Amino acid sequence: MYDYDLLVVGSANADLVIGVERRPGAGETVLGSDLAVHPGGKGANQAVAAARLGARTALLARVGDDGHGRLLLDSQRAAGVDTVGVLVGGAPTGVALITVDPSGDNSIVVSPGANGRLTPQDVRTAASLFHASRVVSTQLEIPLETVVETVRSLAPGSRFVLNPSPPRPLPAEVLAACDPLIVNEHEAKVILGDAAGVSDEPEDWARLLLAKGPRSVVVTLGAEGALVASGNGVSRVPSVKVRTVDTTGAGDAFTAALAWRLGAGESLAEAAAYAARVGAATVTAEGAQVSFPTAAEVDAL
């Protein structure tokens, strides 16, 4: 019996968000809206998204002993996430500087802060969390050696889900553990490198990624939904048409929902279809964690 449906190992940031009419070019200054501060970070986002959907969730992360760190801890606890694995101190809390244009698209620059101090030893110390978790999810806003140690710490029978964001080449040991590897178009092209140029079709990217070693692959396609690839083939998963307000955190909500539903026994296509609805619900509101839907709100779509 697992104590947690999902353990998220990853980043926790304070999102500093400014709305802009358009993003500035090189050397250019533009005026924006008032600054809004939200709890964010891909790891913290995934944990809150899963908990709001009803998953029993724990977070392994590091924050600073500062106001942003307290904001993040409060947000996790309010969503029902177990924060026993959240470490405090070592550096200031990570910060993401985000601009959002009128279409809802965003650009993000991250200062890792305490996220860069989440070490392999922190993972080893949290062994009891890994043995209590059905699914483990992570991202690349923490050191790569910590992600590698996460893979090595997986309990027998647990499932590993990776969203390689921000993207970088991955060691074979990590790729082989992914079930699935979840990428958007940009992430897929970075991981594929020169091989990405052979086709403009996401189905081909998925097959090429699968050949690199993951047990399964999901390519997210924004408003077009997603596609899933495994040894059983490649198939498209449609999304729900909604009015987009802010895409911040939508990929994190998608990943969290997918990981949770896979742990609950759904097929990759079934879990991705549910995750696409969660992602669609997320983009209809501003912010990251504050926009994540409950299961009832997803069902209402």
Side-chain angles (χ1 to χ4, degrees):
M1 179 66 182
Y2 294 99
D3 294 327
Y4 303 107
D5 299 308
L6 178 64
L7 168 64
V8 181
V9 182
S11 58
N13 294 323
D15 287 348
L16 310 185
V17 184
I18 299 177
V20 293
E21 286 300 314
R22 59 182 178 81
R23 280 163 280 184
E28 182 183 15
T29 299
V30 300
L31 293 177
S33 67
D34 290 342
L35 175 70
V37 181
H38 302 292
K42 289 185 173 299
N45 284 351
Q46 287 183 13
V48 168
R52 284 182 59 81
L53 291 168
R56 297 168 301 164
T57 308
L59 175 65
L60 175 58
R62 185 176 287 276
V63 299
D65 185 10
D66 50 34
H68 287 155
R70 288 185 285 276
L71 170 73
L72 285 157
L73 281 168
D74 288 345
S75 177
Q76 294 292 312
R77 291 164 179 159
V81 176
D82 190 334
T83 60
V84 67
V86 179
L87 307 167
V88 179
T93 300
V95 172
L97 308 176
I98 304 173
T99 58
V100 182
D101 70 18
S103 72
D105 284 333
N106 60 60
S107 294
I108 306 175
V109 178
V110 175
S111 172
N115 297 309
R117 276 72 166 185
L118 187 67
T119 66
Q121 182 57 50
D122 294 333
V123 170
R124 290 189 287 270
T125 301
S128 60
L129 282 177
F130 284 85
H131 286 280
S133 301
R134 186 183 305 275
V135 180
V136 177
S137 173
T138 192
Q139 330 76 37
L140 299 184
E141 287 184 338
I142 57 175
L144 184 58
E145 58 265 28
T146 305
V147 174
V148 172
E149 190 62 34
T150 295
V151 168
R152 294 173 179 171
S153 299
L154 295 172
S158 66
R159 191 163 188 161
F160 179 66
V161 175
L162 173 65
N163 171 219
S165 179
R168 59 183 294 180
L170 294 168
E173 180 180 4
V174 171
L175 284 169
C178 295
D179 193 14
L181 175 74
I182 304 175
V183 294
N184 61 19
E185 176 180 348
H186 172 62
E187 293 153 2
K189 289 180 176 179
V190 170
I191 293 172
L192 287 173
D194 293 340
V198 303
S199 174
D200 291 328
E201 294 298 322
E203 284 83 356
D204 291 330
W205 304 339
R207 294 186 184 96
L208 289 167
L209 286 167
L210 204 59
K212 283 184 169 288
R215 302 176 194 181
S216 58
V217 171
V218 175
V219 181
T220 60
L221 303 171
E224 301 304 313
L227 62 82
V228 300
S230 67
N232 296 324
V234 181
S235 60
R236 290 255 181 173
V237 175
S239 186
V240 179
K241 301 301 180 185
V242 295
R243 177 179 173 272
T244 298
V245 174
D246 182 1
T247 59
T248 305
D252 302 328
F254 178 98
T255 298
L258 180 71
W260 174 47
R261 298 314 301 162
L262 287 172
E266 291 186 355
S267 70
L268 188 60
E270 289 170 335
Y274 182 80
R277 294 199 300 276
V278 172
T282 298
V283 303
T284 63
E286 292 184 352
Q289 295 178 20
V290 294
S291 69
F292 293 154
T294 63
E297 289 167 339
V298 176
D299 292 342
L301 285 179

